[in-house]
Amino acid sequence: MFTKKNIFYFFIFLSLLSETRLQAESNHKIAVIGTGYVGLVAGACLADFGHIVMCCDIDTKKIEMLNEGHLPIYEIGLQEIVDRNFQEKRLIFTSNIPEAIRLCDSVFICVGTPSDDAGKADLRAIYAACKTIGENINGPKVIFVRSTVPPGTVKKLTEIIQLNYQGNEEVIVAFTPEFLREGVSVKDFCHPERVVIGTHSEAAKKTFCEIFHKQYSKNIPFLLTSIESAETIKYASNAFLAVKVSFINEMSNFCDLSGADIVEVAAGMGLDSRIGSQFLKPGPGYGGSCFPKDTLAILNEANVLGVDLKVIQGAVDANEAQMSIVMNKLRRLLQEPLQGKTIAILGLAFKSNTDDVRYSPALKLINSLILEGAKIKAYDPEAMKNTEKQYPEITYTSSWKEAAQNADAMVLTTDWEEFFTIDLPELYQLMKAPFVLDTRNIFSPEELKQEGFIFDNMGHQKR
Ligand code: UDX
């Protein structure tokens, strides 16, 4: 809810915004630290807005690769933007982070904050980046933190920068969370649904307005908050979405036994605008670089503060349990031990349109199948290289057909578009036995039945 103070800030921000629109032609020199999914997309898009962007990373191999024109990640539309801005010399890749900081007037911090063994956000990379920033500040600069960090962290980061800075000027650090979904992150960056900026600094607001002036003309809602609120908005948003996915997964398990169809149930729920129709697709559990780590991190923070977040804990527990539900479905389908069986896995990425396999349910499945002595043939349009780094022992194929050939069962784990067009009669011919487990509900139960498959899915009608 808006407090009077926030509404006041919001109006100051709006007036700044129109001022900026009038004089928004000045381009900025921006250093982006971290060239992962968040940093590379931010850097490329900011260069596309007309700024000079130095994308930096301590990983020299990554920088070499980028300078040779190759992207270290698969992200729709990114290659084209990187190529264009690299050629036009607005986008520079370097591992000389100190120099980039010295040459630029703003710094975006986009380094990873993965979970440590206890589920806590590992802040070592961001602390190191801030130390380097402090050591190299040579004039007025605004630092924007984009990495997801627990509430209170940006305050600590400001202290680290200040401690390592030799000058007298005030160090300005703001928190601007990213809400990018992998696979559509270029679109999300250029046309966000909302922009949140946590700062009380006029200079940070002004710089932010200037940098993002292209977006301002598109009536995107902006919310100005305290730094701590902005930090919490990011965690709360991801945790809420994780709760929604776990909720629908549990409802699909309920439908499996109650005789209802989750697709119909989700359609009926989604028509209520208070609920909304998105994030109501059941599956093998949520994965990726954000939901698993951010839910654990906020639980950890709550634990330190002595607050009980039962709903988020429930979502995490349900997500943990979802793979055993998938495995039980597979065991029930085959009605035989999985030992020695060849299982085709279609989809390795944690969701479609990405090569990211971090916390991917498909990898949990591979792990469980290996433990039970099954043989695995896997196919994914983009994520096989990343999976192979962790599971070199399984067979990777160049098409879904090759994966299905002579398989005792097929498990579909990622809803890639190409799997929607699988020819079921052909699939039936290719497989040794007609067992299909569709964990994303992409196949029509009627058609599977008609073709003679013995199948299961996630709470979707089987009549
Ligand atoms: C998420 C947030 O959406 C984004 O705002 C944030 O900045 C980063 O984390 P991302 O991890 O790219 O983005 O994926 P998202 O599309 O949100 O999906 C997350 C997980 O939930 C995936 O494993 C996906 O398969 C699963 N999911 C999502 C479902 O199982 N069902 C759904 O209906 C929606």
Side-chain angles (χ1 to χ4, degrees):
M1 201 188 299
F2 272 143
T3 60
K4 271 188 190 157
K5 195 169 140 206
N6 274 350
I7 292 170
F8 173 70
Y9 276 131
F10 190 63
F11 281 111
I12 293 183
F13 198 61
L14 284 180
S15 57
L16 249 170
L17 185 153
S18 38
E19 249 175 59
T20 312
R21 244 186 235 142
L22 297 176
Q23 25 126 319
E25 296 318 314
S26 66
N27 291 339
H28 282 254
K29 287 198 211 97
I30 304 168
V32 176
I33 306 181
T35 55
Y37 288 87
V38 173
L40 196 53
V41 171
C45 293
L46 288 171
D48 218 37
F49 291 174
H51 305 296
I52 303 291
V53 180
M54 298 182 78
C55 272
C56 340
D57 208 296
I58 49 167
D59 186 338
T60 48
K61 274 205 189 108
K62 232 186 204 182
I63 293 298
E64 241 170 64
M65 209 176 155
L66 285 160
N67 276 320
E68 283 162 8
H70 307 298
L71 295 193
I73 55 165
Y74 169 80
E75 187 61 44
I76 293 169
L78 187 59
Q79 183 82 58
E80 199 190 316
I81 299 180
V82 167
D83 289 350
R84 182 170 58 242
N85 288 283
F86 186 74
Q87 272 159 25
E88 289 172 13
K89 300 199 168 27
R90 278 193 302 270
L91 187 57
I92 296 148
F93 297 109
T94 176
S95 42
N96 192 341
I97 304 178
E99 185 185 60
I101 295 163
R102 287 196 294 269
L103 289 176
C104 293
D105 44 55
S106 315
V107 181
F108 279 68
I109 307 178
C110 302
V111 299
T113 51
S115 296
D116 68 11
D117 291 342
K120 227 171 123 204
D122 180 346
L123 300 172
R124 280 175 299 178
I126 201 162
Y127 286 160
C130 287
K131 183 170 180 282
T132 311
I133 292 170
E135 288 164 351
N136 289 284
I137 291 187
N138 54 348
K141 290 184 207 290
V142 182
I143 320 298
F144 295 102
V145 178
R146 297 283 282 181
S147 311
T148 303
V149 288
T153 306
V154 172
K155 205 170 155 207
K156 270 188 228 147
L157 299 178
T158 313
E159 286 163 11
I160 293 175
I161 297 173
Q162 199 84 59
L163 202 72
N164 289 280
Y165 169 50
Q166 300 299 324
N168 299 319
E169 284 173 56
E170 188 201 358
V171 173
I172 301 163
V173 186
F175 182 66
T176 58
E178 54 80 20
F179 300 105
L180 310 180
R181 294 160 300 167
E182 287 179 23
V184 281
S185 58
V186 169
K187 180 177 155 270
D188 282 350
F189 191 91
C190 298
H191 310 281
E193 279 190 354
R194 87 283 210 189
V195 172
V196 174
I197 170 160
T199 186
H200 292 305
S201 151
E202 288 304 321
K205 283 180 244 171
K206 188 169 179 291
T207 307
F208 192 85
C209 289
E210 286 171 7
I211 290 174
F212 285 88
H213 67 266
K214 278 203 175 170
Q215 295 183 12
Y216 289 172
S217 57
K218 293 172 191 145
N219 295 328
I220 294 160
F222 276 78
L223 183 65
L224 260 189
T225 68
S226 70
I227 291 178
E228 289 76 9
S229 297
E231 289 170 320
T232 308
I233 285 170
K234 176 63 199 270
Y235 276 113
S237 301
N238 277 353
F240 187 82
L241 291 170
V243 167
K244 212 171 171 189
V245 174
S246 276
F247 179 88
I248 205 68
N249 283 343
E250 287 203 322
M251 282 317 297
S252 85
N253 301 335
F254 177 83
C255 288
D256 265 327
L257 298 172
S258 74
D261 182 339
I262 194 65
V263 176
E264 292 173 353
V265 172
M269 287 171 64
L271 287 172
D272 184 332
S273 63
R274 293 170 303 174
I275 297 174
S277 59
Q278 293 189 50
F279 272 72
L280 289 180
K281 284 193 190 142
Y286 60 75
S289 63
C290 291
F291 289 4
K293 92 172 163 69
D294 292 349
T295 44
L296 288 188
I298 193 170
L299 284 173
N300 215 292
E301 286 306 306
N303 198 20
V304 173
L305 295 170
V307 187
D308 218 359
L309 297 182
K310 290 194 180 71
V311 175
I312 300 176
Q313 184 62 59
V316 170
D317 293 345
N319 200 55
E320 281 295 311
Q322 195 65 0
M323 189 41 65
S324 18
I325 284 160
V326 169
M327 280 298 286
N328 283 339
K329 280 174 178 283
L330 187 61
R331 290 189 199 102
R332 265 200 312 271
L333 261 187
L334 271 78
Q335 298 203 339
E336 275 184 279
L338 294 168
Q339 166 85 35
K341 299 281 180 206
T342 301
I343 311 294
I345 298 183
L346 300 194
L348 298 166
F350 79 96
K351 63 171 192 177
S352 57
N353 299 322
T354 179
D355 61 348
D356 197 345
V357 297
R358 284 175 288 178
Y359 296 95
S360 172
L363 269 60
K364 288 191 197 167
L365 176 69
I366 291 175
N367 206 40
S368 304
L369 289 172
I370 289 176
L371 286 175
E372 298 210 13
K375 292 182 207 142
I376 298 161
K377 283 168 85 186
Y379 170 71
D380 186 287
E382 295 294 338
M384 291 197 288
K385 242 200 310 191
N386 284 339
T387 311
E388 204 171 359
K389 289 178 199 155
Q390 292 179 54
Y391 291 101
E393 68 270 47
I394 68 169
T395 305
Y396 295 92
T397 67
S398 57
S399 66
W400 68 262
K401 294 182 192 181
E402 210 188 310
Q405 182 98 42
N406 284 324
D408 292 297
M410 182 271 265
V411 186
L412 184 131
T413 25
T414 317
D415 50 353
W416 282 96
E417 212 170 302
E418 72 169 87
F419 299 151
F420 283 83
T421 57
I422 286 177
D423 183 58
L424 291 179
E426 191 178 2
L427 178 68
Y428 188 89
Q429 291 303 324
L430 287 168
M431 290 177 67
K432 190 154 105 193
F435 298 113
V436 166
L437 175 54
D438 176 8
T439 70
R440 298 279 182 173
N441 291 346
I442 74 165
F443 298 124
S444 143
E446 281 95 353
E447 284 172 31
L448 284 169
K449 202 168 176 193
Q450 204 178 319
E451 293 308 325
F453 284 101
I454 300 164
F455 66 94
D456 201 354
N457 53 32
M458 310 310 281
H460 192 18
Q461 54 122 338
K462 311 192 175 58
R463 295 184 295 275

